[in-house]
Amino acid sequence: MERSLRLGRLATFVYFVLNGFLMGMWIVHIPDIEHRVGISHAVLGWLLLLLGAGAFAGMQLVGPLTDRFGARTVVPLSAALCSAGVVLPGWAANAWTLGAALLVLGLGNGCLDVSMNAHAIQVERGYQRPVMSAFHAAFSIGGVLAALAGARMLSWGWSPVANLGTVALLGLAIAVAAAPALLGSGGTDVPEIPDAPDGLAGAAKGRRSTKTPRRIWGLAALALMIMLCEGVANDWSTLHLRNVLGAPAATAALAYGAFSTAMTVGRLLTDRVAARFGSVAVLRYGASAAALGLTAASLSSSIPLTLIGWTLFGAGLSGCVPQLFSAAGHTDPDAAGANVSRVAGLGYVGMLAGPALIGPLTQVMPLHLTFFLPVAFCAVAAATAGILRPRNTAPTRLETGGGATDSGKSPAHAAPRETAPDAHSRERSQER
């Protein structure tokens, strides 16, 4: 395999870790910044919506730009914007300036999120096997590093400006240093679509439309549901153990710890599972396991069993979103950025909406019963997992794994597989 492709994969890991690290450093400084600015929790909650709005805007803006100028150009610029934006909340003197700072930080985060995922899809296309989930695990690792580094810096008594300014300079240096290893938009970095037969390539070009395909909106709807489930776990898992089961504060914190650890470990393992059994199986059985885990956590009166339920919930969800992003990017390689921006954008809306939906529901039912809303969404995702399979084309290793085909036949009884990269390229032309 070409050295440039290996370096491109390494650079993608770097940017995912950097994104998780930058956002994690902002999170660990939230209490200090809130106190410094002199605002209430309620005001902070409203201001955090600006962070989400900026991220959503950045995702929609940068998707087409990535398709036009290439991830090699857009990813470092997005990383630089996100790095520079992380210091702005530390300078905020009042609610207005903090809101503006969060808007800029969110914009940088959204731009980096979509552009690095678009580059990850380019790397995955080069490897012709699943590699997306490991990148998302790298984001989580970046958050863990931020928690450790942030705790150490706060123990030194530095101001938020000093801490976040140091982080910004480090981020800018990494953004520049990793840029040369990113893949170009052409050349020999990845297999090229024109290798497909002329008739298929011409037909695919004729079918190209500027409209977003319905399949992309279907993937985006599933991303909204799955990321809503993640948002519920992030904001309500600890409160569930604390308020419903009466667990001590230290024990209640283990609920989120179990969920996030399972998410990280699961994403590190998912690529191997997807390569063996396929992305459809990852989504179908992962979402089913998540539904089972959250159901057990919701109905259990035992703290250990509840923790097991939250762990299973995280493990089941861990590989779902990477499969959706990957499918969106591979639907049309020339519009990967725009398609990923649609899926990521609606997914981010779900991440924000999940906690907001659960709150009002607690006015009419106990907290643990509101969790059956995300359980229902997991069930929908499991039932519709077949959307990951490209239309009008035979399943390939990237979509369905290297084992038995969807019809249940063993490889020996299936139609002979074409050799990569020709089969892979022909399939991509049919999708387009």
Side-chain angles (χ1 to χ4, degrees):
M1 190 164 293
E2 292 187 8
R3 181 173 180 268
S4 61
L5 188 57
R6 292 195 298 270
L7 290 176
R9 186 184 185 189
L10 177 61
T12 310
F13 276 118
V14 170
Y15 283 109
F16 270 83
V17 171
L18 176 61
N19 191 198
F21 183 75
L22 292 173
M23 298 312 296
M25 288 300 292
W26 145 247
I27 290 171
V28 300
H29 283 85
I30 286 178
D32 276 4
I33 291 174
E34 181 187 40
H35 177 73
R36 176 189 177 95
V37 175
I39 57 176
S40 66
H41 294 330
V43 173
L44 177 64
W46 285 107
L47 293 178
L48 288 175
L49 292 178
L50 292 174
L51 180 72
F56 183 81
M59 289 174 182
Q60 305 314 305
L61 172 68
V62 86
L65 291 178
T66 303
D67 294 330
R68 180 175 180 182
F69 298 105
R72 189 173 194 171
T73 299
V74 178
V75 171
L77 293 176
S78 299
L81 176 60
C82 192
S83 298
V86 78
V87 72
L88 298 181
W91 276 329
N94 52 50
W96 294 101
T97 52
L98 179 58
L102 292 178
L103 190 64
V104 175
L105 177 59
L107 183 70
N109 178 48
C111 289
L112 180 55
D113 193 325
V114 166
S115 59
M116 70 185 185
N117 271 288
H119 186 267
I121 289 163
Q122 191 177 348
V123 171
E124 188 173 62
R125 194 179 306 127
Y127 274 84
Q128 297 196 29
R129 61 180 173 84
V131 296
M132 178 66 77
S133 293
F135 293 138
H136 285 246
F139 178 89
S140 300
I141 292 171
V144 173
L145 293 177
L148 297 175
R152 172 57 65 184
M153 296 173 83
L154 289 170
S155 71
W156 294 336
W158 290 8
S159 69
V161 173
N163 287 346
L164 296 177
T166 302
V167 171
L169 292 175
L170 176 63
L172 288 169
I174 292 174
V176 172
L182 295 173
L183 301 178
S185 56
T188 59
D189 290 331
V190 294
E192 292 296 324
I193 300 282
D195 288 342
D198 293 339
L200 289 175
K205 186 179 291 185
R207 290 195 302 268
R208 187 178 302 282
S209 171
T210 57
K211 290 184 178 180
T212 302
R214 284 182 295 178
R215 178 173 186 253
I216 297 300
W217 290 121
L219 294 170
L222 287 180
L224 185 149
M225 295 180 192
I226 295 298
M227 294 182 72
L228 183 148
C229 295
E230 293 183 19
V232 168
N234 291 340
D235 285 24
W236 294 100
S237 56
T238 297
L239 286 173
H240 172 226
L241 259 73
R242 180 69 171 158
N243 296 344
V244 176
L245 299 183
T251 303
L254 294 177
Y256 175 70
F259 171 80
S260 57
T261 301
M263 284 279 288
T264 303
V265 174
R267 284 178 170 172
L268 288 172
L269 300 176
T270 294
D271 287 331
R272 292 180 180 273
V273 177
R276 176 65 180 87
F277 299 103
S279 58
V280 174
V282 170
L283 179 58
R284 178 169 293 146
Y285 297 110
S288 299
L292 178 62
L294 188 54
T295 298
S298 302
L299 299 180
S300 172
S301 58
S302 163
I303 290 177
L305 181 57
T306 301
L307 291 175
I308 292 173
W310 283 111
T311 302
L312 182 58
F313 187 54
L317 290 181
S318 62
C320 294
V321 169
Q323 308 312 309
L324 298 173
F325 281 21
S326 179
H330 289 302
T331 295
D332 183 353
D334 289 340
N339 289 338
V340 170
S341 72
R342 303 292 186 269
V343 176
L346 272 188
Y348 200 80
V349 169
M351 180 77 77
L352 297 174
L357 282 176
I358 295 299
L361 286 176
T362 59
Q363 302 300 314
V364 296
M365 64 180 70
L367 174 61
H368 65 286
L369 294 183
T370 67
F371 294 154
F372 282 98
L373 176 64
V375 166
F377 286 156
C378 288
V380 171
T384 59
I387 194 175
L388 292 179
R389 189 179 304 113
R391 299 175 184 176
N392 304 322
T393 180
T396 65
R397 182 176 180 177
L398 192 58
E399 285 83 22
T400 59
T405 62
D406 259 0
S407 62
K409 297 177 183 179
S410 67
H413 295 88
R417 178 172 298 168
E418 300 173 84
T419 13
D422 291 339
H424 183 83
S425 300
R426 184 173 300 129
E427 182 186 52
R428 296 298 170 220
S429 295
Q430 288 176 321
E431 288 177 48
R432 296 166 58 192

